[in-house]
Amino acid sequence: MKTLILVRHAKSDWPEDTDDFDRPLADRGLQDAEKMSSYLKQNNVEIEKFVSSPALRALSTCNIFNKSYQIEVETNRKLYNANENNFESVIYDLNDDVNSVAIFSHNNGISNFANMISGDIFAFPTCGVAGFQVDCESWSDFESAKKKLLFFYEPKKI
Protein backbone atom coordinates (compact mmCIF):
# COMPACT_ATOMS: atom_id res chain seq x y z
CA MET A 1 0.00 0.00 0.00
CA LYS A 2 1.28 3.48 -0.95
CA THR A 3 0.20 6.98 0.01
CA LEU A 4 0.19 9.87 -2.46
CA ILE A 5 -0.24 13.40 -1.16
CA LEU A 6 -0.85 16.26 -3.57
CA VAL A 7 -0.07 19.81 -2.40
CA ARG A 8 -0.84 22.95 -4.35
CA HIS A 9 1.69 25.70 -3.63
CA ALA A 10 0.71 28.33 -1.08
CA LYS A 11 -0.59 31.80 -2.02
CA SER A 12 1.96 33.60 -4.15
CA ASP A 13 2.74 37.18 -4.93
CA TRP A 14 3.44 38.61 -8.37
CA PRO A 15 5.88 41.49 -8.05
CA GLU A 16 6.32 43.72 -11.07
CA ASP A 17 8.86 42.45 -13.63
CA THR A 18 8.88 38.93 -12.13
CA ASP A 19 8.64 35.88 -14.37
CA ASP A 20 5.96 33.32 -13.47
CA PHE A 21 8.63 30.77 -12.53
CA ASP A 22 10.20 33.18 -10.01
CA ARG A 23 7.06 34.32 -8.18
CA PRO A 24 7.59 34.29 -4.38
CA LEU A 25 5.08 33.37 -1.71
CA ALA A 26 2.88 36.14 -0.33
CA ASP A 27 2.72 36.72 3.44
CA ARG A 28 -0.52 34.75 3.61
CA GLY A 29 1.14 31.92 1.68
CA LEU A 30 3.98 31.75 4.17
CA GLN A 31 1.48 31.58 7.05
CA ASP A 32 -0.74 28.99 5.33
CA ALA A 33 2.21 26.72 4.53
CA GLU A 34 3.39 26.85 8.16
CA LYS A 35 -0.14 26.14 9.39
CA MET A 36 -0.79 23.29 6.96
CA SER A 37 2.55 21.55 7.48
CA SER A 38 2.12 21.72 11.26
CA TYR A 39 -1.44 20.40 10.95
CA LEU A 40 -0.32 17.41 8.89
CA LYS A 41 2.54 16.60 11.26
CA GLN A 42 0.33 16.94 14.37
CA ASN A 43 -2.23 14.62 12.77
CA ASN A 44 0.43 11.97 12.10
CA VAL A 45 0.34 12.22 8.31
CA GLU A 46 3.45 10.26 7.38
CA ILE A 47 5.51 11.47 4.46
CA GLU A 48 8.82 9.91 3.47
CA LYS A 49 9.74 12.08 0.49
CA PHE A 50 8.88 15.43 -1.08
CA VAL A 51 8.95 16.01 -4.84
CA SER A 52 8.41 19.62 -5.93
CA SER A 53 8.14 21.76 -8.99
CA PRO A 54 11.32 23.86 -9.08
CA ALA A 55 9.27 27.07 -9.45
CA LEU A 56 9.97 29.35 -6.50
CA ARG A 57 6.44 29.38 -5.02
CA ALA A 58 6.14 25.57 -5.08
CA LEU A 59 9.65 24.90 -3.82
CA SER A 60 9.24 27.52 -1.07
CA THR A 61 6.03 25.81 0.04
CA CYS A 62 7.83 22.46 0.03
CA ASN A 63 10.73 23.86 2.05
CA ILE A 64 8.33 25.24 4.68
CA PHE A 65 6.69 21.80 4.96
CA ASN A 66 10.15 20.32 5.33
CA LYS A 67 10.74 22.36 8.50
CA SER A 68 8.19 20.01 10.08
CA TYR A 69 9.29 16.80 8.35
CA GLN A 70 13.02 17.16 7.65
CA ILE A 71 13.10 14.58 4.84
CA GLU A 72 14.49 14.27 1.34
CA VAL A 73 13.41 16.97 -1.14
CA GLU A 74 13.68 16.41 -4.86
CA THR A 75 12.74 18.86 -7.60
CA ASN A 76 11.32 17.78 -10.93
CA ARG A 77 10.77 20.16 -13.83
CA LYS A 78 7.86 17.98 -15.04
CA LEU A 79 5.78 19.39 -12.16
CA TYR A 80 5.89 22.97 -13.51
CA ASN A 81 2.92 23.56 -15.85
CA ALA A 82 2.20 19.86 -15.41
CA ASN A 83 -0.54 17.88 -17.08
CA GLU A 84 -1.89 14.55 -15.88
CA ASN A 85 0.79 12.57 -17.74
CA ASN A 86 3.54 14.60 -16.08
CA PHE A 87 2.28 13.63 -12.62
CA GLU A 88 2.12 9.96 -13.59
CA SER A 89 5.63 10.12 -15.02
CA VAL A 90 6.99 11.54 -11.75
CA ILE A 91 5.14 8.84 -9.77
CA TYR A 92 6.47 6.03 -11.99
CA ASP A 93 10.02 7.27 -11.32
CA LEU A 94 9.65 6.87 -7.54
CA ASN A 95 11.68 4.21 -5.79
CA ASP A 96 9.46 1.46 -4.40
CA ASP A 97 11.16 1.82 -1.00
CA VAL A 98 9.20 5.09 -0.68
CA ASN A 99 5.74 4.31 0.67
CA SER A 100 4.46 7.87 1.09
CA VAL A 101 5.26 10.87 -1.07
CA ALA A 102 4.05 14.47 -1.22
CA ILE A 103 4.09 16.17 -4.62
CA PHE A 104 4.08 19.99 -4.75
CA SER A 105 2.77 21.56 -7.93
CA HIS A 106 0.41 24.10 -9.51
CA ASN A 107 -3.12 24.52 -10.76
CA ASN A 108 -4.75 23.63 -13.11
CA GLY A 109 -2.64 20.51 -13.40
CA ILE A 110 -2.86 19.38 -9.78
CA SER A 111 -6.67 19.73 -9.68
CA ASN A 112 -7.03 17.94 -13.02
CA PHE A 113 -4.80 15.09 -11.85
CA ALA A 114 -6.70 14.72 -8.55
CA ASN A 115 -9.98 14.67 -10.51
CA MET A 116 -8.61 12.03 -12.87
CA ILE A 117 -7.46 9.62 -10.15
CA SER A 118 -10.41 10.08 -7.80
CA GLY A 119 -13.43 10.73 -9.96
CA ASP A 120 -14.30 13.56 -7.53
CA ILE A 121 -14.41 17.22 -8.46
CA PHE A 122 -11.45 19.01 -6.94
CA ALA A 123 -10.73 22.70 -6.99
CA PHE A 124 -7.51 23.01 -5.02
CA PRO A 125 -7.18 26.27 -3.15
CA THR A 126 -3.66 27.52 -2.61
CA CYS A 127 -1.94 25.26 -0.06
CA GLY A 128 -4.73 22.69 -0.40
CA VAL A 129 -3.68 19.12 0.38
CA ALA A 130 -5.26 15.85 -0.81
CA GLY A 131 -4.13 12.43 0.38
CA PHE A 132 -4.81 9.20 -1.48
CA GLN A 133 -4.32 5.57 -0.55
CA VAL A 134 -2.96 3.68 -3.57
CA ASP A 135 -3.43 -0.08 -3.51
CA CYS A 136 -0.10 -1.21 -4.96
CA GLU A 137 3.32 -2.38 -3.85
CA SER A 138 5.15 -0.74 -6.76
CA TRP A 139 4.69 2.80 -8.04
CA SER A 140 4.91 1.33 -11.55
CA ASP A 141 1.44 -0.15 -10.93
CA PHE A 142 -0.04 3.26 -10.09
CA GLU A 143 -2.27 3.66 -13.13
CA SER A 144 -4.18 0.39 -12.65
CA ALA A 145 -4.17 0.50 -8.83
CA LYS A 146 -7.31 1.24 -6.85
CA LYS A 147 -7.13 4.72 -5.31
CA LYS A 148 -9.08 6.04 -2.34
CA LEU A 149 -9.29 9.63 -1.10
CA LEU A 150 -8.12 9.72 2.53
CA PHE A 151 -8.38 13.46 3.19
CA PHE A 152 -8.68 16.88 1.63
CA TYR A 153 -7.55 19.86 3.70
CA GLU A 154 -7.85 23.57 2.97
CA PRO A 155 -5.96 26.21 5.00
CA LYS A 156 -9.12 28.19 5.75
CA LYS A 157 -10.85 25.11 7.19
CA ILE A 158 -8.20 23.82 9.58
Side-chain angles (χ1 to χ4, degrees):
M1 201 66 67
K2 304 287 188 189
T3 304
L4 172 67
I5 298 166
L6 301 176
V7 184
R8 182 178 174 198
H9 66 77
K11 181 76 175 161
S12 60
D13 201 358
W14 202 320
E16 194 173 321
D17 297 324
T18 302
D19 289 333
D20 180 70
F21 190 86
D22 297 319
R23 290 171 51 202
L25 292 179
D27 289 342
R28 189 182 106 207
L30 294 167
Q31 293 166 2
D32 285 350
E34 289 276 353
K35 181 168 116 176
M36 186 62 78
S37 62
S38 294
Y39 182 82
L40 294 178
K41 191 68 173 176
Q42 289 168 2
N43 284 280
N44 301 312
V45 175
E46 291 190 33
I47 306 172
E48 296 173 358
K49 182 174 183 167
F50 291 142
V51 183
S52 177
S53 158
L56 182 59
R57 61 194 181 275
L59 188 55
S60 295
T61 303
C62 178
N63 287 334
I64 290 170
F65 273 61
N66 206 24
K67 289 178 185 176
S68 295
Y69 282 88
Q70 300 186 0
I71 58 175
E72 179 185 357
V73 173
E74 177 184 314
T75 59
N76 192 313
R77 184 84 181 178
K78 294 176 188 175
L79 295 173
Y80 179 66
N81 287 333
N83 63 31
E84 294 87 340
N85 293 333
N86 292 69
F87 285 95
E88 286 184 335
S89 176
V90 169
I91 290 166
Y92 293 145
D93 287 343
L94 292 169
N95 187 313
D96 288 333
D97 291 345
V98 174
N99 291 309
S100 58
V101 63
I103 294 179
F104 295 76
S105 192
H106 313 262
N107 248 357
N108 292 325
I110 200 163
S111 289
N112 292 342
F113 181 64
N115 291 333
M116 182 187 87
I117 65 174
S118 71
D120 289 330
I121 303 299
F122 277 93
F124 268 78
T126 51
C127 212
V129 179
F132 297 89
Q133 182 180 64
V134 184
D135 190 5
C136 65
E137 296 303 315
S138 173
W139 290 108
S140 64
D141 297 327
F142 177 81
E143 185 177 9
S144 62
K146 182 179 176 187
K147 298 157 195 83
K148 175 185 168 188
L149 179 66
L150 298 172
F151 57 81
F152 181 62
Y153 301 131
E154 302 176 47
K156 289 182 179 177
K157 295 183 179 178
I158 61 167

